[in-house]
Amino acid sequence: MIRWLKKSYIAVILLVMYAPIALLMIFSFNANRLPVWKGFTLDWYTKMFNDAGIQQAFMYTLLIALVSSLCATVIGTFAAMGIHRMRGWQKKCVLYVTYIPLLSPDIVIGISLMMLFSVIKLPFGLPTLIISHITFSIPYVILSVMPRLQQMNYNLYEAALDLGATPGYAFKKVIFPEIMPGVIAGTFIAFTLSIDDFVVSFFNKGAGVDTLPIKIYSMARKGVNPTINAISTLMFTTIIVVLVATNLKASRKAKDTNR
Amino acid sequence: MNKKSLAIPYLIWSALFIIVPLLLIVYFSFFQEGQFSFQSYQKFLEPYYIKALWRSVQLAFFSTVICLIVAYPLAMLLSGKEMSNKQVVLLLVILPMWMNSLLRTYAWASLLENTGVINSLLQGIGLPTIKFLYGDKAVIFGMVYNFFPFMVLPIYNALCKIDPHLVEASYDLGANKVTTFRKVILPLSMPGVVTGIVMVFMPALTTFLITRLLGGGKVMLIGNIIEEQFTRTRDLSFGSAISMILMVLVLLALTFLGKKDSLDGKGGGLF
Amino acid sequence: MMNEKTRPNDYIIDLKHISKSFEDTQVLDDISMYIRRNEFLTLLGPSGCGKTTLLRIIGGFESATEGEVLFEGKNIGDLPPYKRKINTVFQKYALFPHMNVEDNISFGLQIKKMDKKLIQKKVYEMLELVNLKGYEKRSIDSLSGGQQQRIAIARALVNEPQVLLLDEPLGALDLKLRKGMQLELKKIQQKVGITFIYVTHDQEEALTMSDTIAIMNEGRVQQIGTPVDIYNEPKNAFVADFIGESNILQGIMLKDYLVRFHDVDFECVDRGFGENMPIDVVVRPEDIKIVDKDQGMLNGLVESVTFKGVHYEMIVKSTSYSWIVHSTVMSPIGSQVGMVITPPDIHIMKRR
């Protein structure tokens, strides 16, 4: 009885979480503009692929996510190593600054950057979007690399130097492999945050440069549009496929090492 | 060799794009066309804005409480040892976070619409339709729906970290399941609960998206008012002032909840 | 075993045919034993032998797949831990990190809704017992491992259990502290006069503290008895090997009082094994006497010598066996020596 209760509790929560997603997917194949089933169609998908605006938004989203997550990873990883060597008030100060973007509301980050760009007269467009995405991504990279550095045995680095490695070589061969998982996790977080971001992009986009979330927002405000359903279905399935693939790979790897 | 210098590019970056923009907000909130004044702050004292702020706090509070009430038992179930497929369930709880929150909220909007699926279903089985959309309830629902995983994960992590021997020790000393929960499990999971509250309350307090999609312009929260100042009314000074007030509120809330270190889980706990 | 003769009220816990399996692996295999009132019983065995599982079954944290746990004659198999008059000292103490020393110790008493003044008094008495007077308000983090250990003991004892279970409680302490705590634990046990069931893999610890030792391996009790009995009369090669260092050889019992091992016939004091039966022979290192070459029953070459404080430990290699020998006199490495083993020091065990 209690088992049954527990199971149904989880079932209800999952149902509520997935109901909208499932319906979105179903109606992306619906031959009716209204949410009443009228028959199967791929119209919305063809429409989506023929819509230059959507395609452009998609490309921009991807480009911004790639560039900003890579930049954030490089800056953030080096920053983490620098902060790791700092002590006392210096470290505290820098960490507080690092927490600011994490703790401030998205909307404040968005408008503060927007004001900066308008003050220095940087035209809104691709550069402003990339800069703002790098800015909110860096702290996540730092925070996922820092624990790795703390866990790392500093003697490893010293041992490498002792054995004749130059600092650069020691970094490449000793430190980097140790912090690698943190770096990858940081890049991954930065990438997903960038793809998902709406608020900061909303304030820092330029004319003609839309990201997908912004495109969806402007379409959604005009009312029900099944093309959005088609985009979301496609995006969600892609994400699931990627996640399942990486998970399978990881579990297979784990099995291999167990043997 | 000075390895601290590795942080220099980041320090420059954060000075330019974090510190300076924040200082700009402070500046604009006090200066109107080069003149120093408290005008923008005074304007905020008008009942309309105070009411909007109060309403934002209320809605964010309710959705945080609902999230907590629903998420805690779920996190308990997931961290317990009796469920065999809990990894799958955990993944299922996190998975929607990879789908754009905008899309999910939009999906609920189309579900809840007067001519939406739920009402069609109700009609189909001969029940009266319900007007879900555009109002406080729909906004709270949207907040809970969107930020729910942010509550589950930190609590789940905190519960997993509890040494099972502590629970056994409590049983051993004569505490039954309820007492053990009250005296051992709940206090030890508090860091996770605090993190969860912060991570739900803050975005809920400042959202303008959910209000727009599910409140339909009827519900004006503080986030919407800020957005309006920058997109429509173009009152930069007033927008900056509200942002300042919001930041101060957030800081106060954080100090009140203490434990800044528990926020380390914000990124790490999620992914 | 010997429980048939004992009066039932003499023992407090009676385990009857306890078996336990986790999925496919059997951890405990048909264990039957009893534990007397007020005795210090040690479950001794290598890691993975099932000793901790047995302790957890007695404590109520696991339930046996088969068999019964009788407590004062009543089956308590279905009783949850919080309804048993048994308390546990956990391996890593499991002190509540969010409470101070006083709150930890009084945890069980508060649940019983005991009077506050009385609780305070009992906490004080307990801290006195474990030599930590004045530590009431200290946080758990601020205590050393040894102090945490004492608090864990106090927290369990304050509930006045009939039986205290201790799961390798000294495992995390350093050697010197362990020795001190061993004596102290024994003292505490005598003072409070209740049954202690102690789990350890450290044979020396078991020998020092216990009234009774139950040696376990692969889910079975190999031997149960007093430390002296177990040391002097190990029942099988495993016990002999596990309790102290031993020379264990395969041999043949030619007839009563005569055994052949290492291709030499030895007189011994055992009988009743039958004729020409394969057996195991155990010789303790301290029971081998070193004499001049050709003066003993066996000859060998001293391969290594280690000074152990009171004695020297030597490895002496004979034609087919490397003997461990303890002696207060050192023979230099590389020297040829003879060895004497007297009949009472040859222990014969049935081959498993």
Side-chain angles (χ1 to χ4, degrees), chain A residues 191-213:
Chain A
F191 189 81
T192 39
L193 282 177
S194 168
I195 286 204
D196 205 44
D197 174 71
F198 167 75
V199 178
V200 177
S201 311
F202 178 75
F203 289 106
N204 290 289
K205 74 181 191 81
V209 184
D210 281 336
T211 64
L212 263 188

Side-chain angles (χ1 to χ4, degrees), chain A residues 99-158:
Chain A
Y99 275 120
I100 294 176
L102 287 177
L103 297 181
S104 8
D106 287 350
I107 192 168
V108 176
I109 302 177
I111 57 153
S112 67
L113 281 166
M114 171 184 150
M115 293 207 293
L116 173 79
F117 295 140
S118 36
V119 167
I120 60 173
K121 305 238 157 52
L122 187 68
F124 285 95
L126 212 48
T128 54
L129 278 171
I130 290 176
I131 290 175
S132 54
H133 281 219
I134 293 174
T135 305
F136 70 67
S137 296
I138 294 177
Y140 290 93
V141 176
I142 294 181
L143 288 186
S144 61
V145 175
M146 286 284 283
R148 280 269 150 195
L149 285 167
Q150 273 151 14
Q151 280 165 28
M152 198 186 76
N153 183 353
Y154 189 67
N155 287 338
L156 287 180
Y157 176 69
E158 286 171 342

Side-chain angles (χ1 to χ4, degrees), chain A residues 9 22 93 142 149 184 189:
Chain A
Y9 187 72
C93 275
I142 294 181
L149 285 167
I184 290 175
I189 298 170

Side-chain angles (χ1 to χ4, degrees), chain B residues 50-97:
Chain B
I50 293 290
K51 259 188 205 157
L53 177 65
W54 178 234
R55 202 149 178 220
S56 310
V57 173
Q58 273 179 317
L59 295 195
F61 175 79
F62 283 131
S63 28
T64 310
V65 169
I66 294 171
C67 272
L68 184 59
I69 292 171
V70 181
Y72 204 103
L74 180 68
M76 289 265 289
L77 288 180
L78 290 177
S79 65
K81 55 182 171 186
E82 45 203 301
M83 235 173 51
S84 47
N85 48 357
K86 56 185 180 183
Q87 287 302 325
V88 180
V89 178
L90 187 67
L91 187 70
L92 283 175
V93 172
I94 306 172
L95 201 57
M97 292 207 309

Side-chain angles (χ1 to χ4, degrees), chain A residues 3 6 9-10 13-14 16-21 23-24 27 34-36 75 78-79 81-83 85-87 90 94 96-108 111-117 119 130-131 134-135 138-140 142-143 154 157 167 175 188-189 192-193 195-199 202-203 213-214 216-217 220-221 223-226 228-229 232-233 235-236 239-240 243 247, chain B residues 1 3-7 9-11 13-22 24-25 28 69-74 77-78 82-83 89 91-104 106-108 110-111 113 115-117 120 141 145 148-149 198 202 206 208-209 212-213 222-224 226-227 230-232 234 236 239-240 243 246-247 250-251 254 260-261 263-264 266-268 271:
Chain A
R3 266 186 82 85
K6 286 174 179 174
Y9 187 72
I10 293 172
I13 289 177
L14 289 181
V16 174
M17 289 185 85
Y18 283 89
I21 298 172
L23 277 154
L24 242 156
F27 284 125
L34 297 169
V36 177
I75 300 174
F78 282 115
M81 290 194 294
I83 297 170
R85 306 299 308 152
M86 291 178 190
R87 290 288 170 267
Q90 217 179 3
V94 179
Y96 272 122
V97 173
T98 308
Y99 275 120
I100 294 176
L102 287 177
L103 297 181
S104 8
D106 287 350
I107 192 168
V108 176
I111 57 153
S112 67
L113 281 166
M114 171 184 150
M115 293 207 293
L116 173 79
F117 295 140
V119 167
I130 290 176
I131 290 175
I134 293 174
T135 305
I138 294 177
Y140 290 93
I142 294 181
L143 288 186
Y154 189 67
Y157 176 69
I175 296 185
F188 190 64
I189 298 170
T192 39
L193 282 177
I195 286 204
D196 205 44
D197 174 71
F198 167 75
V199 178
F202 178 75
F203 289 106
I214 292 172
I216 295 166
Y217 179 69
R221 289 183 70 183
V224 187
N225 183 345
I228 303 180
N229 298 348
S232 354
T233 306
M235 278 172 75
F236 196 63
I239 287 158
I240 290 180
L243 278 178
N247 269 355
Chain B
M1 186 193 64
K3 287 191 68 182
K4 287 183 205 171
S5 58
L6 289 171
Y10 167 66
L11 293 180
W13 188 282
S14 49
L16 273 180
F17 299 114
I18 297 174
I19 310 282
V20 172
L22 283 180
L24 279 175
I25 291 191
F28 277 113
I69 292 171
V70 181
Y72 204 103
L74 180 68
L77 288 180
L78 290 177
E82 45 203 301
M83 235 173 51
V89 178
L91 187 70
L92 283 175
V93 172
I94 306 172
L95 201 57
M97 292 207 309
W98 269 287
M99 191 185 200
N100 198 298
S101 60
L102 191 68
L103 284 176
R104 286 182 289 137
Y106 164 76
W108 267 115
S110 63
L111 266 181
E113 258 185 305
T115 54
V117 176
S120 311
F141 182 83
Y145 181 69
F148 181 67
V198 171
M202 290 223 320
T206 57
F208 67 91
L209 190 65
R212 177 58 50 82
L213 288 178
I222 200 76
N224 303 80
I226 297 180
E227 184 235 7
F230 288 92
T231 51
R232 256 174 268 167
R234 297 241 143 235
L236 298 193
S240 301
S243 303
L246 205 55
M247 285 291 275
V250 166
L251 278 180
L254 284 178
K260 249 178 231 101
D261 45 349
L263 292 170
D264 283 354
K266 196 180 177 185
F271 297 95

Side-chain angles (χ1 to χ4, degrees), chain A residues 241-256:
Chain A
V241 167
V242 170
L243 278 178
V244 169
T246 46
N247 269 355
L248 279 183
K249 212 173 157 192
S251 65
R252 206 171 289 154
K253 225 180 190 177
K255 258 185 202 160
D256 284 348

Side-chain angles (χ1 to χ4, degrees), chain C residues 31-307:
Chain C
I31 288 190
S32 291
M33 64 190 275
Y34 65 82
I35 294 143
R36 282 198 210 90
R37 242 172 242 287
N38 305 348
E39 87 174 322
F40 196 121
L41 177 121
T42 300
L43 299 173
L44 175 66
S47 59
C49 72
K51 55 189 192 299
T52 297
T53 308
L54 186 59
L55 194 78
R56 288 171 60 81
I57 287 174
I58 298 172
F61 305 114
E62 307 275 0
S63 52
T65 320
E66 271 170 67
E68 289 182 338
V69 181
L70 301 187
F71 183 87
E72 296 183 317
K74 270 173 253 150
N75 187 359
I76 55 165
D78 295 329
L79 229 50
Y82 47 86
K83 288 189 181 156
R84 300 190 182 197
K85 287 178 201 156
I86 298 173
N87 285 115
T88 308
V89 175
F90 289 85
Q91 199 162 20
K92 281 174 190 132
Y93 322 139
L95 295 173
F96 302 121
H98 58 295
M99 301 176 188
N100 63 17
V101 167
E102 187 177 20
D103 292 341
N104 262 284
I105 297 180
S106 61
F107 189 90
L109 303 179
Q110 280 176 9
I111 284 159
K112 286 183 202 134
K113 303 243 155 54
M114 199 178 268
D115 176 63
K116 267 191 188 149
K117 283 237 172 75
L118 195 60
I119 290 182
Q120 231 171 9
K121 193 174 148 250
K122 291 202 171 223
V123 170
Y124 180 83
E125 283 168 6
M126 272 303 140
L127 285 173
E128 199 169 25
L129 180 74
V130 297
N131 281 328
L132 284 174
K133 261 194 278 181
Y135 277 67
E136 281 89 346
K137 302 293 173 202
R138 291 281 287 270
S139 77
I140 296 303
D141 299 339
S142 71
L143 302 180
S144 71
Q147 290 167 336
Q148 291 191 12
Q149 172 63 69
R150 288 152 195 262
I151 300 300
I153 293 167
R155 183 179 70 174
L157 284 180
V158 79
N159 302 290
E160 294 167 5
Q162 310 245 22
V163 176
L164 185 69
L165 310 179
L166 302 103
D167 186 7
E168 305 218 13
L170 307 182
L173 304 180
D174 63 52
L175 187 66
K176 212 177 154 196
L177 214 52
R178 279 173 88 128
K179 298 265 180 199
M181 276 308 288
Q182 286 172 13
L183 296 176
E184 205 168 317
L185 264 177
K186 183 73 195 168
K187 247 191 244 159
I188 290 174
Q189 190 250 341
Q190 282 160 352
K191 211 186 264 176
V192 294
I194 58 164
T195 309
F196 274 35
I197 305 178
Y198 191 95
V199 160
T200 184
H201 62 262
D202 182 335
Q203 45 109 355
E204 207 193 314
E205 205 167 276
L207 292 174
T208 317
M209 295 195 285
S210 322
D211 301 322
T212 310
I213 297 178
I215 301 213
M216 292 181 65
N217 191 37
E218 291 173 344
R220 292 166 188 264
V221 174
Q222 304 290 328
Q223 186 172 0
I224 184 161
T226 65
V228 177
D229 284 350
I230 284 183
Y231 190 83
N232 288 338
E233 294 299 330
K235 249 188 188 168
N236 57 39
F238 173 81
V239 175
D241 190 36
F242 198 77
I243 285 280
E245 280 173 296
S246 287
N247 299 291
I248 301 173
L249 295 91
Q250 299 191 343
I252 292 172
M253 197 73 190
L254 296 172
K255 54 181 189 184
D256 285 353
Y257 308 120
L258 190 66
V259 61
R260 169 180 292 168
F261 58 93
H262 201 273
D263 295 328
V264 179
D265 293 353
F266 289 86
E267 276 180 51
C268 63
V269 294
D270 298 81
R271 62 186 180 91
F273 283 86
E275 294 196 357
N276 296 320
M277 281 298 290
I279 42 84
D280 285 322
V281 176
V282 173
V283 183
R284 296 285 181 197
E286 64 270 26
D287 292 339
I288 300 174
K289 215 171 124 199
I290 299 279
V291 291
D292 288 339
K293 196 185 171 208
D294 297 329
Q295 299 289 308
M297 298 146 165
L298 298 161
N299 284 327
L301 175 78
V302 179
E303 278 198 324
S304 79
V305 177
T306 319
F307 182 57

